Amino acid sequence: MKKFMTLFLAAAAALSLAGCDRADTVGGDQNSLTDNSGSSLSITSTGGIDGEVIKTDDPDSGGLRMLFSGSGGMMSQHFGTVAERCTENGYYGIKQTDEKSPFLNLTYVDFASRREVVVCSDSSCKHNSELCASCFSYYDILSCHVFVNGGYVFLLSTEYDPDGSFSVSPVYIAPGITEKSETRRAGIYRMELDGTGREKIYEAELGDVIEGNVFGDGEYLWFVVKTPSVEVSEKTGAAYNHSKNRALIKLSAAEKKVVERIPLDDHNNIALEIIGCTKDKFVLRGVAYPNGSSAMDNIDILASDPGFGKVDNKYIELRKKCEWVYFTLDSRNKELKEIHRENQETRESFVLFGDHLYFGREDHLMYRKSLLDGKTEELTVPSGYEFAGFYKNKAMFTAIGEKNGNTYFSELEGLMFTAPKGSRFNIHSGLTGGAFSEFRVLGSASDKLLIEYDIQPIPIPNNNGGYGSGYIGIRSKMGLVTFDDLYAGSDTVTPVTSLDDYSL
């Protein structure tokens, strides 16, 4: 079964972009964002194009939704990319616009003008100063991610999180090399849609990290905070990267205050990973090792190194005895409930969509499990296709044996999928897509997608044909695609002028 795409829908909000200096207050005057190419975007500071502010969610509506997913390979019932970065009128990003600058810049792609700009209204600003509303200093933030919620832009700053990984030995530090002490703290910033009014609404303890996923519940944010730890085998020196003091935090963004803290320690030696949400419940998953043992009890097998080209029979035998276990955690009464188990050796892929977990087996058959009543139902899959997840309200399939990896869309009617309709595009999210895939979804609004396409590797100088990897080693274009064109298989892309296309 091919790896599912991690896709989730960005919620709607109207644009409100104005101001320059972070200390400025936002009034009701007409303002403009400039792209320093002689053009400007005229918008009102009190709201969207017509001055009406449309919130990304109703604070009184209840129900959880994923705002940011930073955990690799995770499936969600939300569709789009790795973060809810879009309003109805545009897309927020964070990037280094000047490689010589010690700052990252908050950027915005305006769907109407089809241009990317720095979130700053001062045409004379160089966007490399603490006074610029777009600037975030490397000296203040760690790895950072942007998302939109409740009419505000948020920035999550946290350290790399290796929790759950194994290695044959602890991290090696060469003799005479002293690790630099980290003084920056993980935290969450909130600002107006124009970048002004920035404030740090949460700061973790020094050394703690904020786990990959952030959830919204009206004006509240939910996320996991923990202290990284490394456990080492006395026998072999193998290392298990884990954590302690792990807890699910409920933060009031308005009050900048933690209002609830739910301990999230290992449950019966199962390390619990939050993979999504539905209504008032979080959905979690973890590995149950044989006879209730822990990861550390099996560390010498899990972190073994059989050598290049060799098969680790002990590891294969261990996998046959392990199970994936799924739980729900009720955000109201804190009840943790097991809902599903499956043998790890079956290698079933899963996706969380609505109130169900959908499982695709290697024999191309499917079934789903209700998160509400635990009911299991078999699903009918179109002949010759295998399931590849959901996008918006449609199921995705790939043709068995087809080499180009095209994505085809289907409706789910009852327990039966309709015949797939073709698309030219090979959909990948910004998180799971290969570095040189045909295109990646950056964000989505109600009727359109912002994509990165014509992705090409950039040759590394003096490296005998070597290429860069990741976003640093690629060049690409940005464009808009309507959902109608996507579902119809059209290759129509409306180009977007990015900051890379003109000089700041």
Side-chain angles (χ1 to χ4, degrees):
M1 173 66 67
K2 296 183 180 179
K3 184 184 293 184
F4 290 153
M5 295 58 153
T6 306
L7 303 168
F8 60 91
L9 175 65
L15 171 64
S16 172
L17 291 171
C20 169
D21 193 310
R22 288 211 303 260
D24 290 347
T25 57
V26 180
D29 299 329
Q30 187 84 1
N31 292 276
S32 64
L33 284 176
T34 60
D35 61 12
N36 291 357
S37 65
S39 302
S40 64
L41 310 179
S42 181
I43 44 202
T44 59
S45 60
T46 55
I49 298 300
D50 298 319
E52 178 187 3
V53 175
I54 302 175
K55 298 294 186 181
T56 55
D57 61 278
D58 180 357
D60 300 319
S61 65
L64 297 162
R65 62 193 185 92
M66 186 177 282
L67 301 175
F68 170 71
S69 175
S71 299
M74 225 172 258
M75 299 304 114
S76 168
Q77 79 276 31
H78 305 274
F79 326 107
T81 60
V82 294
E84 290 205 354
R85 292 184 170 187
C86 283
T87 67
E88 191 64 18
N89 299 323
Y91 165 89
Y92 287 92
I94 186 98
K95 65 169 60 174
Q96 186 179 25
T97 58
D98 182 352
E99 62 181 14
K100 298 179 181 179
S101 172
F103 296 97
L104 289 171
N105 297 101
L106 184 67
T107 62
Y108 180 78
V109 175
D110 178 58
F111 292 158
S113 65
R114 301 184 297 281
R115 289 204 315 279
E116 181 182 31
V117 298
V118 173
V119 181
C120 172
S121 64
D122 185 353
S123 60
S124 64
C125 182
K126 300 298 183 183
H127 316 306
N128 60 0
S129 162
E130 295 281 3
L131 295 178
C132 178
S134 77
C135 284
F136 287 85
S137 171
Y138 281 116
Y139 300 109
D140 296 330
I141 61 173
L142 299 153
S143 297
C144 57
H145 314 276
V146 176
F147 57 91
V148 179
N149 184 50
Y152 294 95
V153 180
F154 293 82
L155 182 138
L156 166 66
S157 170
T158 188
E159 187 57 276
Y160 168 70
D161 178 17
D163 200 346
S165 64
F166 302 91
S167 60
V168 294
S169 63
V171 176
Y172 171 76
I173 300 176
I177 301 297
T178 302
E179 284 190 297
K180 183 179 179 181
S181 298
E182 180 60 76
T183 58
R184 297 170 297 178
R185 300 187 182 210
I188 296 177
Y189 295 83
R190 186 182 74 164
M191 66 211 83
E192 301 290 340
L193 293 177
D194 62 356
T196 61
R198 183 192 306 175
E199 55 184 343
K200 199 171 192 177
I201 62 172
Y202 176 80
E203 184 174 72
E205 294 294 325
L206 185 62
D208 283 2
V209 299
I210 298 174
E211 205 166 82
N213 300 328
V214 179
F215 301 86
D217 182 6
E219 66 99 359
Y220 296 100
L221 302 180
W222 290 86
F223 50 91
V224 172
V225 178
K226 60 191 179 184
T227 305
S229 65
V230 179
E231 300 176 56
V232 180
S233 167
E234 295 181 358
K235 180 181 177 182
T236 65
Y240 172 43
N241 294 298
H242 200 28
S243 58
K244 56 185 178 180
N245 305 321
R246 189 165 179 261
L248 179 60
I249 298 295
K250 182 180 182 181
L251 176 77
S252 169
E255 299 179 13
K256 297 179 287 185
K257 177 182 177 182
V258 174
V259 297
E260 200 161 1
R261 185 182 187 277
I262 305 173
L264 204 61
D265 300 318
D266 292 0
H267 175 73
N268 295 332
N269 282 329
I270 300 174
L272 302 174
E273 183 178 33
I274 301 180
I275 61 174
C277 59
T278 180
K279 295 185 170 61
D280 295 304
K281 299 179 187 294
F282 296 99
V283 183
L284 307 89
R285 187 174 83 147
V287 177
Y289 294 99
N291 303 316
S293 60
S294 67
M296 275 305 296
D297 293 330
N298 299 279
I299 183 67
D300 296 327
I301 297 177
L302 294 169
S304 62
D305 182 12
F308 181 76
K310 296 183 179 179
V311 177
D312 190 339
N313 291 320
K314 290 184 178 180
Y315 179 76
I316 293 175
E317 289 304 311
L318 176 63
R319 277 186 59 88
K320 292 178 180 179
K321 301 174 184 177
C322 294
E323 294 178 304
W324 284 115
V325 188
Y326 297 81
F327 302 85
T328 56
L329 173 62
D330 196 304
S331 64
R332 299 161 300 178
N333 60 22
K334 316 306 178 290
E335 178 188 12
L336 182 69
K337 182 179 180 181
E338 181 180 323
I339 56 172
H340 183 70
R341 279 185 183 243
E342 64 184 25
N343 189 280
Q344 214 178 35
E345 188 63 15
T346 61
R347 298 178 183 176
E348 291 180 319
S349 300
F350 76 99
V351 62
L352 174 56
F353 177 69
D355 296 331
H356 290 83
L357 279 169
Y358 288 76
F359 295 91
R361 302 197 297 254
E362 284 196 325
D363 56 9
H364 311 304
L365 298 178
M366 281 186 65
Y367 67 94
R368 69 181 184 183
K369 186 93 169 187
S370 171
L371 298 171
L372 303 181
D373 59 18
K375 184 179 179 181
T376 300
E377 298 172 304
E378 295 287 333
L379 298 170
T380 301
V381 178
S383 178
Y385 293 87
E386 61 180 356
F387 182 61
F390 288 91
Y391 196 82
K392 205 170 175 62
N393 61 345
K394 296 184 184 294
M396 298 187 297
F397 288 88
T398 56
I400 298 172
E402 187 176 272
K403 295 181 179 180
N404 59 17
N406 282 353
T407 300
Y408 300 86
F409 297 95
S410 169
E411 303 285 349
L412 177 59
E413 298 179 355
L415 299 177
M416 181 178 296
F417 292 99
T418 60
K421 296 181 179 180
S423 171
R424 186 186 76 86
F425 294 118
N426 179 4
I427 294 183
H428 291 281
S429 75
L431 180 65
T432 61
F436 312 131
S437 57
E438 187 174 346
F439 85 86
R440 277 191 289 258
V441 177
L442 298 176
S444 60
S446 62
D447 62 343
K448 65 180 70 69
L449 301 160
L450 178 68
I451 69 168
E452 187 178 30
Y453 67 106
D454 277 0
I455 302 171
Q456 301 173 1
I458 299 175
I460 299 175
N462 304 318
N463 194 30
N464 297 323
Y467 292 90
S469 62
Y471 287 97
I472 295 175
I474 62 173
R475 79 165 50 86
S476 62
K477 300 176 183 178
M478 282 198 298
L480 293 169
V481 176
T482 68
F483 280 112
D484 288 343
D485 282 342
L486 179 72
Y487 297 150
S490 170
D491 59 1
T492 302
V493 179
T494 303
V496 168
T497 303
S498 72
L499 288 169
D500 298 328
D501 297 331
Y502 53 77
S503 176
L504 285 174

